[in-house]
Amino acid sequence: MTPALALKDVTKSFGPIEVLHGIDFDLHPGEVHALIGENGAGKSTMMKVLGGFLQPTAGEVLLDGAPARFHSGPEAEARGVVVIHQEFNLAQDLTVSQNIWLGREMGGFFLDHKAMRQATQALLEQLECRVGPDARVSDLPVSDRQMVEIAKALSRNARVLIMDEPSAVLTSHEVQVLFRQIDRLRAAGVALLYTSHRLEEVDHLADRITVLRDGAVVRRAVRGELTEDGMATAMVGRDLKDIYPPRRTDFGPVVLEVQDFAVPPLVEGIGFSLRRGEVLGISGLVGSGRTELAEGLVGLRPHTGTLRRNGAEVSLRSLSDAEDHGLAYLTEDRKERGLLLDKTLRENLTLSTLKRFGTPFLSRAAEEAALGKAIADFDIRAPKRDMAVGNLSGGNQQKLLLAKTMLPEPEVVIIDEPTRGIDIGTKSQIYHFIDRLAREGRSVIVISSDMPEILGLSDRVMVMRQGRVAGVLEGAAITETAVVRLVMGTSESEKATENA
Amino acid sequence: AQDDKTYVIGVSIPSATHGFMGGLNWHAQETIARLEEVYPQLDFVLATAGEAGKQVSDIEDMLATRNIDALVVLPFESEPLTGPVKAVKDAGKFVTVVDRGLSVEGIEDLYVAGDNEAFGRVAGEYFKANLPSGAKIVILRGIATTLDNERVDAFEKAIEGSGIEVLDKQHGDWNRDKAFTVMQDYLSKYPQIDAVWAADDDMAIGAMAAIEQAGRTDEMWIIGGAGMKEIVKRIMDKDPQLPVNVTYPPALISSAIEMTALHFVSSTPVYGRFIIGSTLITPENAEQFYFPDSPF
Amino acid sequence: MRNLSLSTLGPLAALILLIVLGASLNDNFLSAGNITNVLARSAFIGMIAVGMTFVITSGGLDLSVGSMAAFVAGMVILAMNALQPSLGVGLPLALIGIGVALAVGLLAGLANGLLVTRVGIEPFIVTLGTMGIFRSLVTWLADGGTLSLDFAMREYIGPIYYGGILGISWPIIVFALVVVIGEIAMRHTRFGRYSEAIGSNDKVARYSAVKVERIQLLTYVFLGLLVGLATILYVPRLGSASGSTGLLWELEAIAAVIIGGTALKGGFGRVWGTVVGVLILSLIGNILNLANLVSPYLNGAIQGVIIVLAVVLQRKKTSAEGR
Amino acid sequence: MRNLSLSTLGPLAALILLIVLGASLNDNFLSAGNITNVLARSAFIGMIAVGMTFVITSGGLDLSVGSMAAFVAGMVILAMNALQPSLGVGLPLALIGIGVALAVGLLAGLANGLLVTRVGIEPFIVTLGTMGIFRSLVTWLADGGTLSLDFAMREYIGPIYYGGILGISWPIIVFALVVVIGEIAMRHTRFGRYSEAIGSNDKVARYSAVKVERIQLLTYVFLGLLVGLATILYVPRLGSASGSTGLLWELEAIAAVIIGGTALKGGFGRVWGTVVGVLILSLIGNILNLANLVSPYLNGAIQGVIIVLAVVLQRKKTSAEGR
Ligand SMILES: Nc1ncnc2c1ncn2[C@@H]1O[C@H](COP(=O)(O)OP(=O)(O)OP(=O)(O)O)[C@@H](O)[C@H]1O
Ligand SMILES: Nc1ncnc2c1ncn2[C@@H]1O[C@H](COP(=O)(O)OP(=O)(O)OP(=O)(O)O)[C@@H](O)[C@H]1O
Ligand SMILES: [Mg+2]
Ligand SMILES: [Mg+2]
């Protein structure tokens, strides 16, 4: 059988730096092919080459066995090759429906708004997504944006669908929805290429697996040949053990206490406390208000209620107030709120802590030193130090964002989706880093849609549902079923007991 | 001062931003072309400025790079140009000031000017003589400048005691479009207007178009100013809407340049003040003010 | 409904306030004559502002429209004067004038658009340059003075400005048509949709098979055409063009667009808003002329205050969230 | 090094070309006198453009600077004329003039900044409004004419413009200082870094604990102060202020900033580039005066062409990939 899409000895360089070295690769109709590899291994680059968004420096892209010579993404799309990009690819000012049909509007000379809206509605329903067709994309949470991206790709009726970390910003429920779509497409004979750093997903989905390391294929396998551990080892090139650090036991006094906290319009009546040296996990569905709560806590959103820091009531009106009180927040929205994509690593790293780098004149040397340390601590892989952050691989951007958030050495840090898009090796490093923070006597709130992460890291888990606390679990009570039950709201009676 | 030496005469004038200045620019270029032909020993440098600061720069450049022997300047504004022109004089150059006097007396060798006071007064006297007491008029003023103030003050002084009522005096900025708009609004606002003083012919043209559109052509007449050729033509043709006009000839720049040239090419010393009065153009004398080739 | 949000009602509210103010200051304010005057004089800037809405929405800018209008008017007058001896005063000559206006406008817009899209220069710089070029050319063509249409021809085409049907004058009718077409183009055609998409994120648009350069080019050409159209209505009014024709129209057009709620950074365009913006600006001038409020020297200040206030009315309460 | 990329060298190359052109046209072009003249006259717009660089870099815009300069000059002259009888001509009066200029500039900038940051109106609209307000106020204060400094005082402070040390005149020295301070502020202080961050993405800046509104406010205040400083050097040169003082300076200042390579959309500022931009604009005027190239009516066209060419020189080849 001729592959639907293939790469023959493809090399890709950005300027002097070669990031793909002689890749051979094929993708068949009716299969799900998973591409895995560390951050910066070249997965996104390879997918962009396949999808026509980048031209190979050497080698060929073959479509149905014949040289494809795509000059642009749209050209490839016209021939049935569709890409869901890792970076969001939506126009923020347009509505969901406008984005989905952009470039392929329905109607003759006049646009057929009704048809597009209905088709959008149908697509979103298929994805069990509650977003309205007329919602403006800039008003959507990142997870909904991702669902819109998926809807957009589905609307293209692709022969080849390339998905670059589509699940990174989704919760488990939405991932299930996505999987059903993937199964449907596979059955319909579509060739699917899938990347994810969640290896259990790869294990579940993939008919074949290709492992990339440093821009070269290091392993090819078929279903069942590799375990999750095997994949991790193939990616990282060494054995990975103990992804999650051991639990901590001795906690200090309460450092943060929240009472009757509300962030209008969604979040109300939140109360919890956080002890010194503790990791509090917050779980919940998309739209349950976790991000709003966090942003309210650090003064980024208008809020009401009381907040005590080491017993003293504080009023945080802005993020810099929060920083003065030793709080820090890592946003889930890397691209729109986290990083300046057109600036260098150094400028991004030090932005929120510039005061430490000299008054009145900034010390370039000190900044460079901090960057050097961050690169080492967080294993940031940047081909060049003075490159624009937007050109880093997604995972490395996330690591930089983490480094940036940790630079002020906060006492209490709220991390919203800490390992989004991060490879398994680095994930483990980050978990150990969080553990080290806690052992040093800091307190960490982890908001995560990744269930194993919540289970593996948290000393306590607070579950949110529709803007309220659905329940709090501690110690041995933290089990997947218990969390899921609270998340889905299947047991109202339990809530009362566990909340007490 | 007659020898084989060539002399450079700098001419600095405002740029052609409205009809009158356009005419003045045209006359300046015309005169320069003519004089360069006649007197090979004369070189001219012409610079136009849209703003006082730019004009100061132009004059500095002439002094620094063009080695001028004389400067003919029509100051964009009097005050800002006084210092720089004085610097030219202090450098030993011959200075001719045109139209707008400097704010310090005695700098220039030669002063050639129109008479803004008379420009307003002559028009005002015509209104006084030709309108009954109680007549209602409106005024279209120029750009807010000292010279506009002088004209309007003189006009108002001239009609004093005549019983003529000035309904309104807004700025038309010497601009046809602006004058058209303002006149339209005057016409909406005042049911009776007996005459219009548009202190410039460009504005008169705009105002006339508005009056025509409102169908009130027979109700009022208009006096403009500066002798634009189209207007002079209509006076010649005894247009009842445009009975007379007041001169303020853009050609005065020609006189200034010529007299400055004479200073270098003839032995007659040229010094002093030449005020070119504003006279009334009437159907009888209109012919002598009609220059069909001028753009103005 | 989203379309009836505060930011739509804001400028409308400002407009209504101005109308109430005008009516209370002068009885003739609401007379048919005055309303016709205000609408007709809004028409020039209005048509240009509708075109500008598309340019700005797609992330561009055009500073040259005022001098482009002067240039187009100059070319029309030159062409008509040159052909009048052979063609005589009449419809053919008028049609040629119209043709010249549209053609020159189109070419001028094309020049701007090509410099922006093919050569890749900032629109601000391109149109600052062409602004100087067009204006200079008019001054030069007019020899520093005024280009005037031959009087007979002017009488003939005068009705284009002053005439009309059913008591509504042509500029108003044409303006209304342009607005309707503009609104439909913005809301209901690909051209408008793509303009918004490009202004919002040109990379996304490019990834979605939108021909970014072509659409951007089209916005400039469309604007050029509208400048030509506006000039067709302008020339009969006074029958002349000079270096001072259309002075600062660009600022007025851009201001109208922004007052109407279109974002200067692009991505979001509102043609109706632009119309309201144009009317607000025209009304301010009209009211200042009709009412002897203060020293005329302060007109500019009052105008400034009202512009700012009109926009304050349309702003929502801003918060970290709202941004 | 990235800082020496084509986009830095582009405007420099254009500048050098202009200098070569000037020198070949006129022997006196490179004379000390001419160089001094060009630099000194660049100083006004230059200082304002340095301030504008920060405003634009942080995503703002200020159209009011020209009329603000007129307003500041008017206030300085009024104050000095009022106090001259009691204080006499001398240093104290001159110092008061300087104080008034800086204070009025600062307050004017503060007004712009507060309207933009606290009331949340588009900078374009705010400064379009204040542009009209400042200019009107000057015209009104001058009663439609010109406000003039008493001649005796003018003679006394003349050296501020025409004097200097070591043969370098004061405007040049002050301008050089402003440039150095501006460059350091942009590259080596938090203020500059934050300005770039806000212009690049104000949301990210806010999420990075940057006090976005405060920095934006500061950019307008800084610009206002620089307008005040420029006026201190302007008043001795021209000794007067009227409604037409500083006309279109805003356009020149913005053009200088953009020619210099700062992005109009914000996020990336280059003070050195702005200086090059200002010099390019000054030199174009100077060169046009040096040689009788063509009809003066076409000066504007030549200027336009050179501006566009200067920017073409600095553009890299754009490609779909590079965007
Ligand atoms: N436009 C570009 N210019 C320069 N370097 C680039 C560019 N795009 C990608 N790179 C570099 O190419 C390498 C591969 O990046 P790529 O995005 O393909 O990684 P990835 O495997 O998708 O990683 P991740 O899991 O973090 O998404 C990285 O080192 C990245 O910095
Ligand atoms: N009206 C809005 N305008 C702009 N952004 C919004 C708006 N409403 C929500 N958001 C964004 O959406 C996210 C809020 O997500 P929310 O708190 O509802 O869900 P969550 O529980 O954090 O789930 P997840 O993060 O998985 O989507 C935040 O990034 C927030 O900034
Ligand atoms: Mg990737
Ligand atoms: Mg969230």
Side-chain angles (χ1 to χ4, degrees):
Chain A
M1 186 169 54
T2 39
L5 195 60
L7 294 181
K8 216 171 90 190
D9 198 20
V10 160
T11 300
K12 176 68 196 171
S13 308
F14 294 105
I17 300 154
E18 189 175 292
V19 298
L20 294 180
H21 322 288
I23 305 268
D24 287 312
F25 175 81
D26 52 22
L27 183 60
H28 292 282
E31 75 162 349
V32 176
H33 195 143
L35 186 63
I36 58 174
E38 283 180 295
N39 295 134
K43 302 181 293 300
S44 298
T45 306
M46 186 174 137
M47 290 176 145
K48 284 182 192 161
V49 170
L50 282 165
F53 291 92
L54 290 176
Q55 273 62 56
T57 312
E60 277 191 320
V61 181
L62 303 173
L63 182 69
D64 298 324
R69 300 208 182 85
F70 302 132
H71 294 99
S72 70
E75 210 174 290
E77 206 169 282
R79 293 170 66 183
V81 180
V82 174
V83 179
I84 300 177
H85 291 273
Q86 181 175 18
E87 293 342 349
F88 285 118
N89 197 27
L90 300 171
Q92 301 274 323
D93 298 304
L94 301 191
T95 65
V96 170
S97 167
Q98 289 172 348
N99 263 292
I100 286 181
W101 301 105
L102 185 60
R104 309 160 42 254
E105 284 78 3
M106 297 180 182
F109 183 76
F110 296 110
L111 301 177
D112 190 342
H113 298 291
K114 198 164 151 237
M116 286 191 277
R117 212 174 281 135
Q118 279 171 351
T120 305
Q121 191 76 52
L123 278 168
L124 292 173
E125 269 163 22
Q126 198 178 4
L127 292 173
E128 299 176 32
C129 178
R130 303 149 292 113
V131 170
D134 290 328
R136 207 164 284 280
V137 165
S138 58
D139 293 340
L140 296 181
V142 280
S143 45
D144 283 339
R145 284 185 218 160
Q146 183 66 47
M147 292 311 270
V148 174
E149 292 261 18
I150 293 169
K152 182 174 175 178
L154 290 181
S155 78
R156 259 53 176 175
N157 295 322
R159 292 175 50 228
V160 177
L161 181 58
I162 298 169
M163 292 171 278
D164 195 353
E165 300 194 34
S167 64
V169 298
L170 301 180
T171 54
S172 51
H173 174 69
E174 289 162 308
V175 171
Q176 295 310 318
V177 175
L178 173 64
F179 283 4
R180 280 203 293 281
Q181 295 300 324
I182 290 177
D183 288 339
R184 183 179 63 81
L185 293 172
R186 168 163 46 193
V190 174
L192 297 133
L193 180 58
Y194 189 92
T195 329
S196 173
H197 290 295
R198 295 178 181 170
L199 299 179
E200 75 275 11
E201 292 177 3
V202 173
D203 190 42
H204 171 88
L205 274 180
D207 301 309
R208 282 200 295 156
I209 298 174
T210 295
V211 184
L212 273 186
R213 196 193 306 150
D214 293 334
V217 176
V218 294
R219 180 79 204 262
R220 297 175 208 270
V222 296
R223 185 181 281 280
E225 214 175 292
L226 277 176
T227 60
E228 283 183 42
D229 279 344
M231 291 182 222
T233 311
M235 279 164 59
V236 185
R238 62 190 144 84
D239 278 344
L240 277 179
K241 283 189 222 82
D242 301 331
I243 288 208
Y244 295 103
R247 293 294 156 113
R248 299 144 298 270
T249 45
D250 49 336
F251 305 119
V254 168
V255 291
L256 187 73
E257 198 181 354
V258 176
Q259 273 174 359
D260 200 21
F261 199 82
V263 186
L266 180 63
V267 177
E268 320 180 280
I270 305 289
F272 68 89
S273 58
L274 183 67
R275 289 168 292 183
R276 202 179 137 91
E278 185 182 34
V279 177
L280 172 69
I282 301 185
S283 188
L285 282 183
V286 168
S288 57
R290 296 167 300 173
T291 298
E292 267 105 332
L293 170 63
E295 293 187 351
L297 287 174
V298 296
L300 280 165
R301 281 173 187 261
H303 54 261
T304 57
T306 47
L307 188 72
R308 287 202 186 79
R309 183 77 179 94
N310 294 328
E313 190 168 334
V314 293
S315 155
L316 306 179
R317 293 277 142 236
S318 69
L319 192 58
S320 47
D321 283 356
E323 274 194 2
D324 292 344
H325 287 96
L327 268 70
Y329 170 65
L330 181 135
T331 174
E332 64 174 345
D333 192 349
R334 185 168 70 218
K335 209 175 159 189
E336 295 292 327
R337 286 152 217 231
L339 295 172
L340 300 170
L341 298 178
D342 55 358
K343 298 280 168 205
T344 63
L345 278 73
R346 173 178 55 84
E347 286 162 297
N348 271 287
L349 177 71
T350 58
L351 185 59
S352 48
T353 37
L354 268 187
K355 281 196 185 87
R356 301 176 177 210
F357 293 92
T359 300
F361 302 121
L362 299 171
S363 158
R364 185 75 166 260
E367 283 186 90
E368 288 292 350
L371 178 59
K373 187 164 178 307
I375 286 177
D377 285 357
F378 292 87
D379 190 22
I380 299 170
R381 301 201 185 154
K384 281 194 310 196
R385 269 190 167 211
D386 63 351
M387 72 195 284
V389 161
N391 288 338
L392 283 180
S393 82
N396 283 304
Q397 290 179 18
Q398 184 70 18
K399 293 187 218 167
L400 179 66
L401 182 57
L402 204 61
K404 172 185 166 186
T405 313
M406 292 306 166
L407 204 55
E409 301 182 345
E411 291 296 314
V412 177
V413 53
I414 307 175
I415 316 182
D416 203 349
E417 310 287 359
T419 57
R420 168 169 293 169
I422 284 193
D423 68 50
I424 186 86
T426 317
K427 242 184 210 172
S428 161
Q429 268 170 269
I430 287 173
Y431 298 148
H432 284 90
F433 173 76
I434 291 173
D435 177 60
R436 201 174 74 227
L437 290 180
R439 286 183 198 280
E440 280 169 9
R442 300 176 206 277
S443 313
V444 184
I445 298 177
V446 176
I447 300 174
S448 176
S449 303
D450 193 41
M451 186 62 73
E453 184 169 293
I454 286 281
L455 302 176
L457 271 180
S458 318
D459 299 309
R460 269 192 307 155
V461 175
M462 180 168 94
V463 179
M464 287 185 67
R465 192 167 64 236
Q466 291 172 358
R468 292 167 179 279
V469 178
V472 178
L473 302 169
E474 189 158 4
I478 305 179
T479 62
E480 179 154 5
T481 32
V483 174
V484 168
R485 200 174 289 157
L486 283 172
V487 163
M488 305 309 290
T490 41
S491 164
E492 284 299 319
S493 56
E494 248 178 37
K495 179 181 162 190
T497 52
E498 269 159 353
N499 217 2
Chain B
Q2 262 182 322
D3 44 46
D4 292 339
K5 185 176 179 313
T6 44
Y7 295 96
V8 183
I9 299 176
V11 179
S12 169
I13 54 178
S15 49
T17 49
H18 55 278
F20 173 78
M21 273 307 165
L24 194 126
N25 269 258
W26 183 81
H27 282 291
Q29 293 182 58
E30 195 80 341
T31 312
I32 287 173
R34 188 160 41 81
L35 291 177
E36 278 184 333
E37 190 107 328
V38 179
Y39 305 112
Q41 72 270 43
L42 290 185
D43 265 346
F44 289 89
V45 178
L46 174 66
T48 63
E51 184 239 344
K54 163 82 164 68
Q55 192 173 23
V56 172
S57 301
D58 288 346
I59 293 172
E60 284 174 356
D61 285 349
M62 287 180 187
L63 201 57
T65 63
R66 304 300 291 263
N67 300 321
I68 51 168
D69 299 287
L71 174 69
V72 179
V73 57
L74 195 167
F76 199 93
E77 280 178 278
S78 306
E79 298 294 337
L81 268 303
T82 300
V85 174
K86 184 165 182 295
V88 174
K89 181 70 208 169
D90 292 346
K93 316 296 181 188
F94 185 89
V95 170
T96 302
V97 172
V98 188
D99 202 26
R100 295 170 200 170
L102 299 175
S103 56
V104 173
E105 299 212 352
I107 293 175
E108 68 273 4
D109 299 286
L110 181 62
Y111 180 61
V112 181
D115 188 344
N116 285 307
E117 198 266 337
F119 182 91
R121 178 170 39 81
V122 170
E125 281 165 355
Y126 183 86
F127 275 74
K128 190 170 180 176
N130 288 279
L131 285 175
S133 175
K136 295 181 190 328
I137 65 164
V138 291
I139 298 176
L140 287 160
R141 316 184 53 160
I143 293 171
T145 48
T146 316
L147 99 104
D148 183 63
N149 286 351
E150 280 173 17
R151 292 175 175 184
V152 175
D153 289 347
F155 178 89
E156 290 188 316
K157 207 157 144 237
I159 60 169
E160 240 167 50
S162 66
I164 297 172
E165 185 190 348
V166 178
L167 295 170
D168 221 327
K169 41 173 186 178
Q170 302 276 354
H171 291 279
D173 295 352
W174 295 322
N175 177 300
R176 288 186 190 193
D177 292 317
K178 184 87 192 290
F180 177 87
T181 305
V182 173
M183 192 66 213
Q184 271 194 333
D185 290 344
Y186 280 166
L187 291 165
S188 302
K189 192 172 170 187
Y190 303 109
Q192 188 204 336
I193 300 173
D194 298 309
V196 182
W197 183 50
D200 173 78
D201 283 339
D202 259 322
M203 292 198 289
I205 293 207
M208 275 192 306
I211 294 168
E212 190 182 324
Q213 177 217 7
R216 289 166 69 172
T217 318
D218 296 336
E219 180 183 328
M220 65 197 85
W221 42 260
I222 304 161
I223 307 294
M228 179 188 284
K229 63 180 178 190
E230 287 86 357
I231 302 258
V232 176
K233 182 79 172 47
R234 286 173 71 173
I235 292 172
M236 272 161 70
D237 299 344
K238 299 203 171 52
D239 188 328
Q241 204 190 351
L242 290 164
V244 296
N245 198 284
V246 183
T247 59
Y248 199 88
L252 58 84
I253 189 74
S254 301
S255 318
I257 297 174
E258 272 172 28
M259 281 195 264
T260 310
L262 278 183
H263 173 80
F264 291 100
V265 296
S266 79
S267 47
T268 30
V270 187
Y271 291 103
R273 297 170 65 80
F274 297 84
I275 307 299
I276 299 168
S278 284
T279 51
L280 204 62
I281 305 177
T282 61
E284 289 71 42
N285 67 3
E287 197 118 18
Q288 70 193 81
F289 297 101
Y290 186 54
F291 304 102
D293 292 339
S294 158
F296 183 61
Chain C
M1 268 203 51
R2 213 181 76 233
N3 286 340
L4 281 180
S5 68
L6 193 58
S7 57
T8 314
L9 293 177
L12 254 186
L15 183 63
I16 291 167
L17 274 181
L18 273 178
I19 292 174
V20 171
L21 180 71
S24 68
L25 284 173
N26 191 303
D27 295 339
N28 291 323
F29 178 74
L30 290 178
S31 69
N34 191 51
I35 291 177
T36 300
N37 284 345
V38 171
L39 288 177
R41 75 175 72 133
S42 304
F44 310 136
I45 298 282
M47 285 184 255
I48 296 173
V50 168
M52 188 71 84
T53 309
F54 285 86
V55 170
I56 292 181
T57 298
S58 68
L61 193 69
D62 194 338
L63 296 173
S64 74
V65 288
S67 29
M68 194 193 288
F71 180 63
V72 173
M75 296 302 282
V76 168
I77 291 170
L78 279 180
M80 287 174 87
N81 285 351
L83 291 175
Q84 185 173 333
S86 50
L87 288 178
V89 171
L91 191 63
L93 190 56
L95 290 178
I96 285 183
I98 290 176
V100 169
L102 295 177
V104 175
L106 186 142
L107 289 175
L110 194 69
N112 280 336
L114 286 176
L115 281 168
V116 169
T117 57
R118 297 274 170 266
V119 191
I121 315 174
E122 290 248 16
F124 184 93
I125 297 289
V126 166
T127 56
L128 183 73
T130 52
M131 164 166 123
I133 294 172
F134 293 141
R135 198 165 289 294
S136 255
L137 286 178
V138 181
T139 313
W140 182 66
L141 289 173
D143 232 344
T146 306
L147 290 165
S148 301
L149 195 58
D150 187 276
F151 196 75
M153 193 59 205
R154 201 175 129 202
E155 290 284 284
Y156 180 80
I157 61 169
I160 295 185
Y161 183 76
Y162 299 108
I165 32 176
L166 300 173
I168 303 169
S169 72
W170 283 116
I172 302 179
I173 295 170
V174 176
F175 180 33
L177 274 176
V178 166
V179 169
V180 170
I181 293 172
E183 174 69 17
I184 290 176
M186 183 64 91
R187 291 276 146 264
H188 303 290
T189 71
R190 289 180 181 75
F191 177 53
R193 182 63 54 80
Y194 293 166
S195 298
E196 288 195 329
I198 293 168
S200 177
N201 189 331
D202 63 337
K203 193 174 159 194
V204 167
R206 189 167 284 122
Y207 273 22
S208 301
V210 173
K211 302 219 162 61
V212 173
E213 279 78 22
R214 183 184 299 176
I215 299 292
Q216 285 176 327
L217 182 63
L218 263 181
T219 60
Y220 288 96
V221 170
F222 183 50
L223 175 54
L225 261 182
L226 285 174
V227 170
L229 189 62
T231 313
I232 293 171
L233 300 170
Y234 173 84
V235 169
R237 185 166 97 167
L238 295 174
S240 65
S242 72
S244 65
T245 299
L247 212 61
L248 296 185
W249 281 10
E250 57 278 355
L251 211 61
E252 218 171 317
I254 298 173
V257 173
I258 310 297
I259 291 174
T262 297
L264 188 58
K265 309 237 162 198
F268 183 66
R270 215 193 281 124
V271 173
W272 278 115
T274 298
V275 176
V276 173
V278 170
L279 292 179
I280 288 178
L281 290 177
S282 293
L283 276 183
I284 296 175
N286 183 243
I287 290 175
L288 287 174
N289 282 339
L290 287 183
N292 305 31
L293 288 176
V294 279
S295 154
Y297 300 139
L298 287 179
N299 279 359
I302 297 175
Q303 205 156 345
V305 170
I306 297 184
I307 290 174
V308 172
L309 285 183
V311 176
V312 170
L313 273 178
Q314 83 182 78
R315 295 299 149 195
K316 312 168 213 179
K317 237 178 113 62
T318 54
S319 66
E321 186 180 347
R323 302 208 171 194
Chain D
M1 270 201 52
R2 213 181 78 239
N3 286 341
L4 281 181
S5 67
L6 194 59
S7 57
T8 315
L9 293 177
L12 254 184
L15 183 62
I16 291 167
L17 273 183
L18 275 179
I19 292 174
V20 170
L21 180 71
S24 67
L25 283 174
N26 190 305
D27 295 339
N28 291 321
F29 178 73
L30 293 175
S31 68
N34 192 48
I35 291 176
T36 300
N37 281 343
V38 171
L39 289 177
R41 76 176 67 134
S42 305
F44 311 133
I45 297 284
M47 285 184 255
I48 295 173
V50 168
M52 188 71 83
T53 308
F54 286 86
V55 170
I56 291 180
T57 297
S58 67
L61 191 69
D62 195 338
L63 296 173
S64 74
V65 287
S67 32
M68 194 193 287
F71 180 63
V72 174
M75 297 301 282
V76 169
I77 290 169
L78 280 180
M80 288 174 84
N81 284 351
L83 292 173
Q84 187 174 331
S86 49
L87 288 176
V89 172
L91 192 61
L93 190 55
L95 289 178
I96 285 182
I98 291 176
V100 169
L102 295 178
V104 175
L106 187 141
L107 289 176
L110 195 69
N112 279 337
L114 286 176
L115 281 168
V116 170
T117 57
R118 296 275 169 267
V119 190
I121 315 174
E122 289 250 16
F124 184 93
I125 297 288
V126 166
T127 57
L128 182 73
T130 53
M131 164 167 124
I133 295 172
F134 293 140
R135 196 164 290 294
S136 249
L137 285 178
V138 180
T139 313
W140 182 66
L141 289 173
D143 233 341
T146 307
L147 290 166
S148 318
L149 194 59
D150 188 276
F151 199 76
M153 192 59 205
R154 214 172 125 192
E155 290 283 281
Y156 179 79
I157 61 169
I160 294 186
Y161 183 77
Y162 295 102
I165 33 177
L166 301 174
I168 302 168
S169 73
W170 282 116
I172 302 178
I173 297 170
V174 176
F175 180 33
L177 275 175
V178 167
V179 169
V180 169
I181 293 172
E183 174 69 18
I184 291 176
M186 183 64 89
R187 290 277 146 264
H188 303 289
T189 71
R190 285 201 289 283
F191 177 53
R193 191 68 68 79
Y194 289 158
S195 297
E196 286 199 332
I198 293 168
S200 172
N201 188 334
D202 63 336
K203 239 181 210 169
V204 172
R206 188 167 286 116
Y207 274 69
S208 302
V210 175
K211 299 211 169 70
V212 173
E213 279 79 22
R214 185 184 298 176
I215 299 294
Q216 285 176 327
L217 182 63
L218 263 180
T219 61
Y220 288 97
V221 170
F222 183 51
L223 174 54
L225 260 182
L226 284 174
V227 170
L229 190 62
T231 312
I232 293 171
L233 299 170
Y234 175 85
V235 169
R237 185 185 193 211
L238 300 182
S240 69
S242 73
S244 66
T245 299
L247 212 59
L248 296 185
W249 281 12
E250 57 279 355
L251 213 60
E252 215 172 319
I254 298 173
V257 173
I258 310 297
I259 291 174
T262 297
L264 187 59
K265 309 236 161 201
F268 185 66
R270 214 193 282 126
V271 173
W272 276 116
T274 298
V275 176
V276 173
V278 169
L279 292 179
I280 287 178
L281 290 178
S282 292
L283 274 184
I284 296 176
N286 185 245
I287 288 176
L288 287 174
N289 280 339
L290 286 181
N292 303 24
L293 290 176
V294 277
S295 155
Y297 299 138
L298 288 178
N299 279 0
I302 298 174
Q303 207 155 342
V305 170
I306 298 183
I307 290 174
V308 172
L309 284 183
V311 175
V312 170
L313 271 178
Q314 83 181 75
R315 297 297 150 195
K316 311 168 211 178
K317 235 177 115 60
T318 53
S319 68
E321 199 171 318
R323 302 207 172 189

